[in-house]
Amino acid sequence: MTTVEPIFHAVAPARRRRANRRVTIIAVMATLVLALFALTLALGQSYTPLGDVVRVLLGEDVAGATFTVGQLRLPRALVAVLAGLCFGLGGVAFQVMLRNPLASPDIIGISSGASAAAVFAIVILSLRGPAVSLIAVAAGLGVALLIYGLASRGGVAGTRLILVGIAVSAMLESIVAYVLSQAPAWTLQEAMRWLTGSVNGAQLGQALPLLLALCIFGGLLFSRARDLEALRLGDDMAAGLGVRVGRTRMIIIVAAVGLIACATAVTGPIAFVAFLSGPIAARIVGNSGSLLLPAGLVGAVLVLAGDYAGQFLLPSRFPVGVVTGVLGAPYLLFLIVRANRSGGSL
Amino acid sequence: MIASATSPSPWRFSARRTARSRSLWLAAVTLLLVLLCGLSVSIGSRSVAWADIFAALGGRLDGVEQAAVAVRIPRTLLALLAGAALGLSGAVMQGVTRNPLADPGIFGVNMGASLAVVVGVAWFGIVSAQAYIWTAIFGAGCAAVFVYTIGSMGRGGATPLKLALAGAATSVAFSSMVVAVVLPRSDIAGGIRSWQIGGVGGATFDQIWPVLPFLAVGAALSLVSARKLNSLALGDELAAGLGESVALARAVASLGAVFLCGGITAVCGPIGFVGLVVPHLCRLFVGVDHRWLLPFSTLAGGCLLLLADVFGRIIARPGELEVGIVTAFVGAPFFIWIVRRQRVREL
């Protein structure tokens, strides 16, 4: 008794400090997202003063700014933020649930499933709008179940899941390539979107399905945040803590696939955002508490910053997926090297 | 590991295969190859009478039918060469890395060749076929060394999972870089797709001749290392104990594989999964002895790619499916099958 109490007294403030630190970090990250959002709105080919930006957002008619900010920059920035949030959340949910940073949806083929379905719906069936998102979600779920089924033989082994996913995504990417080659008016712009992901030519109407997805699937995911944390300890431990493992896993898969597929249906598979957000968030906030919100914010930062860099900071214009692809791959290699060095299980 | 992929006790398994049964299989696969060459020349989006086909083969060019056949001849040759080169290089890579999932496509080697050519065209203005091929081989070599280095770091050496992941990551990175290099250059951007998906359509003899010496060198280096690959299959220590210089054997065989897949990627673009599927199928017929496996994989690779190309022409009439897409569809399920039948610890 006498030894327990001092420890107890030491633990409580430490916990409080950690919680405070977490709140601070999340606040800083949210501010960063807002700052990047404002930067995207204010500074493009020409500079629009922030006052004018705010007036445009409030619906006023400002000469010279209404079109650039309201029609060009706002939809683009909005779609970038929402897609980034979706990718970040969906990615980290998979990584945490499967307890493997490499098991992110863009590596195990779920993104390419959604992307193949979306490009098929748009190019061959000439659908638009919500129907595309629905088909993408359905295909994403189908691919997720397929990979899960193929990888399970006496329990799902992470290794097998990743290898099966690599093969499935190679196959699906060749579908994307084929459908693109069948497109009647095959434009480079459109192709780039489905090969690497891009927010070029985003429209305000596209932000709506993203927002809906974020509300429904994101809400579902956050409502299970606690169970997801428990799953990090292993399935048996989680079951011991009172989590209904099978049901929780199903709900998380549906929610995460929904997020990823809706975002992919709009922007294409923006390379590596889903994969990178989780590990970066874990580095920043440490291992205390849920990674969902931080990873979502990191995703938004990545897409916003990548798109801005691709548009204005590089010698010529690149879609955001090319920027994140070139930057993300070295990080993946670094992760492999580090895991190999430490002899960890990969 | 390769040995255990086909049977629990490889030596008894291969001893059962007499030279005669192997020769029979070899004859069968050669016959199949000839048959497929015939199919490839005769089947296309336009149906052509046999008389016209023979006339065109004889060098006559009267009318559309014979011209269509004349276009199919170099295409058939290229498909044959590409399949043979990729099949052989896949077999060598699986032998060198002792890894059932090795394939020039999966390891990012083809994409490395692609990237090198794109960079060469965009930044250094290379135009000659020779320069293309050297650049592609250089890129393939760098990618192979890079992926193998990353995949074999740390404990456990080069496990299939680490190599496959390193290859997949490198492929994505290279593919992004290809886009990044090509996109600002509208003058070459039209060809971007041919550097993302491999195909043999539109081949001409002028494209094929320059690459032949490189393929010949690659094939020679690979076939010469067959015996050494057999020793390597026993494990590095045992191979060294048998008096084999392990590093040299690896280097020579890998160089051969890189020449083969780099050279062919310079002409066709990246074609995946042929090098994965073919050696596995061949092991079922001729066993694990590389002296038989390598030539057999060469022939069977040619068969597979010809078949894939013909299939791509039939299925998407009146258009056609690039052969790189067909091989991904055949190869990916095969890859999954291999992954599923291995025990997790072996992966």
Side-chain angles (χ1 to χ4, degrees):
Chain A
M1 201 62 184
T2 44
T3 51
V4 169
E5 272 193 14
I7 292 174
F8 180 76
H9 285 303
V11 163
R15 277 189 70 160
R16 212 174 308 126
R17 263 203 310 281
R18 268 220 304 271
N20 284 342
R21 185 167 163 265
R22 192 180 136 82
V23 170
T24 320
I25 290 173
I26 289 178
V28 168
M29 275 159 56
T31 321
L32 188 61
V33 171
L34 273 180
L36 278 169
F37 188 74
L39 177 76
T40 314
L41 288 185
L43 193 59
Q45 297 284 24
S46 61
Y47 171 69
T48 313
L50 274 178
D52 286 357
V53 170
V54 173
R55 276 165 56 206
V56 170
L57 291 185
L58 292 176
E60 282 180 46
D61 204 18
V62 185
T66 301
F67 179 72
T68 8
V69 175
Q71 299 288 313
L72 295 180
R73 293 181 195 162
L74 179 65
R76 187 173 189 132
L78 216 51
V79 165
V81 169
L82 294 174
L85 279 169
C86 288
F87 280 126
L89 282 174
V92 81
F94 263 95
Q95 288 167 328
V96 170
M97 183 181 71
L98 296 171
R99 293 186 289 278
N100 189 332
L102 290 162
S104 91
D106 40 3
I107 291 180
I108 62 175
I110 291 163
S111 302
S112 20
S115 155
V119 80
F120 185 80
I122 290 173
V123 172
I124 307 281
L125 307 178
S126 38
L127 295 172
R128 288 283 177 278
V132 176
S133 299
L134 281 181
I135 290 179
V137 172
L141 273 178
V143 170
L145 291 179
L146 178 76
I147 295 170
Y148 205 78
L150 283 174
S152 66
R153 209 186 64 174
V156 172
T159 311
R160 214 186 279 132
L161 187 84
I162 295 164
L163 286 174
V164 168
I166 289 177
V168 169
S169 71
M171 207 160 132
L172 291 166
E173 269 151 31
S174 76
I175 297 188
V176 174
Y178 170 66
V179 172
L180 284 178
S181 72
Q182 295 306 102
W186 191 80
T187 61
L188 202 59
Q189 182 89 337
E190 199 62 13
M192 279 302 112
R193 168 169 320 219
W194 298 111
L195 288 176
T196 65
S198 153
V199 290
N200 273 348
Q203 287 149 11
L204 219 45
Q206 291 176 324
L208 200 66
L210 285 180
L211 200 61
L212 264 176
L214 212 51
C215 288
I216 300 171
F217 295 120
L220 199 59
L221 211 52
F222 276 109
S223 75
R224 296 280 152 174
R226 203 169 267 277
D227 295 349
L228 192 58
E229 280 310 287
L231 278 180
R232 269 167 101 170
L233 303 171
D235 292 354
D236 296 345
M237 192 76 105
L241 288 171
V243 177
R244 284 199 263 175
V245 174
R247 218 180 69 159
T248 306
R249 194 182 272 152
M250 221 52 233
I251 291 173
I252 290 170
I253 288 179
V254 169
V257 169
L259 286 168
I260 295 285
C262 286
T264 307
V266 173
T267 64
I270 301 182
F272 283 140
V273 172
F275 162 70
L276 286 175
S277 303
I280 293 179
R283 275 220 144 180
I284 298 175
V285 299
N287 262 337
S288 63
S290 163
L291 281 177
L292 284 177
L293 189 57
L297 292 173
V298 169
V301 169
L302 283 177
V303 177
L304 270 175
D307 185 43
Y308 194 80
Q311 278 193 89
F312 303 116
L313 303 184
L314 298 173
S316 67
R317 290 182 154 228
F318 292 110
V320 54
V322 173
V323 178
T324 55
V326 171
L327 290 181
Y331 189 79
L332 174 53
L333 292 175
F334 163 75
L335 206 70
I336 296 171
V337 169
R338 207 187 52 175
N340 288 353
R341 280 252 175 77
S342 60
S345 61
L346 191 79
Chain B
M1 180 165 290
I2 284 172
S4 65
T6 35
S7 119
S9 58
W11 295 115
R12 210 180 307 151
F13 189 77
S14 62
R16 253 195 279 129
R17 304 185 174 277
T18 58
R20 217 180 89 208
S21 83
R22 280 167 170 161
S23 310
L24 272 178
W25 281 119
L26 209 60
V29 79
T30 314
L31 195 68
L32 184 66
L33 195 64
V34 174
L35 206 70
L36 284 168
C37 284
L39 271 184
S40 171
V41 172
S42 55
I43 292 180
S45 27
R46 174 183 290 275
S47 29
V48 180
W50 282 102
D52 283 324
I53 292 172
F54 287 118
L57 283 175
R60 288 200 4 234
L61 275 177
D62 310 329
V64 185
E65 274 79 14
Q66 291 175 14
V69 174
V71 171
R72 289 181 203 154
I73 296 170
R75 177 182 189 150
T76 302
L77 180 63
L78 183 59
L80 177 69
L81 285 174
L86 290 170
L88 179 55
S89 74
V92 171
M93 279 191 189
Q94 292 182 3
V96 169
T97 58
R98 273 188 284 139
N99 182 337
L101 298 180
D103 169 73
I106 294 164
F107 278 9
V109 175
N110 289 350
M111 217 57 210
S114 242
L115 176 64
V117 172
V118 166
V119 167
V121 171
W123 293 348
F124 300 102
I126 59 169
V127 279
S128 78
Q130 291 286 332
Y132 257 68
I133 297 164
W134 277 116
T135 318
I137 289 173
F138 173 75
C142 291
V145 170
F146 181 69
V147 169
Y148 192 76
T149 313
I150 286 183
S152 58
M153 276 178 179
R155 218 170 49 176
T159 65
L161 174 68
K162 284 196 277 182
L163 280 175
L165 268 175
T170 313
S171 280
V172 174
F174 285 172
S175 155
S176 293
M177 285 177 203
V178 167
V179 176
V181 171
V182 172
L183 210 52
R185 297 283 307 268
S186 50
D187 51 330
I188 53 173
I192 188 169
R193 244 183 61 234
S194 59
W195 295 112
Q196 297 266 3
I197 322 162
V200 293
T204 60
F205 281 117
D206 291 342
Q207 279 179 306
I208 299 176
W209 298 139
V211 81
L212 279 181
F214 293 90
L215 296 183
V217 170
L221 284 177
S222 304
L223 293 174
V224 160
S225 346
R227 187 184 287 276
K228 296 192 189 309
L229 287 177
N230 278 347
S231 316
L232 281 182
L234 301 172
D236 286 3
E237 287 86 2
L238 211 48
L242 287 173
E244 209 67 74
S245 148
V246 174
L248 184 71
R250 279 228 163 87
V252 170
S254 312
L255 194 67
V258 163
F259 260 70
L260 286 170
C261 58
I264 216 65
T265 305
V267 185
C268 305
I271 299 177
F273 289 109
V274 177
L276 173 83
V277 174
V278 166
H280 278 281
L281 284 182
C282 292
R283 261 182 229 113
L284 296 179
F285 293 108
V286 295
V288 294
D289 184 347
H290 283 89
R291 285 170 300 175
W292 284 92
L293 182 63
L294 295 188
F296 206 77
S297 295
T298 315
L299 294 174
C303 287
L304 180 70
L305 210 67
L306 278 171
L307 194 64
D309 188 36
V310 171
F311 187 69
R313 276 184 257 168
I314 295 173
I315 195 169
R317 269 182 179 167
E320 55 180 58
L321 213 56
E322 262 119 344
V323 70
I325 295 176
V326 181
T327 56
F329 260 80
V330 179
F334 196 86
F335 183 98
I336 293 171
W337 176 67
I338 298 170
V339 169
R340 272 176 66 82
R341 60 186 286 217
Q342 304 270 335
R343 270 173 312 183
V344 181
R345 213 174 325 116
E346 286 174 353
L347 283 175

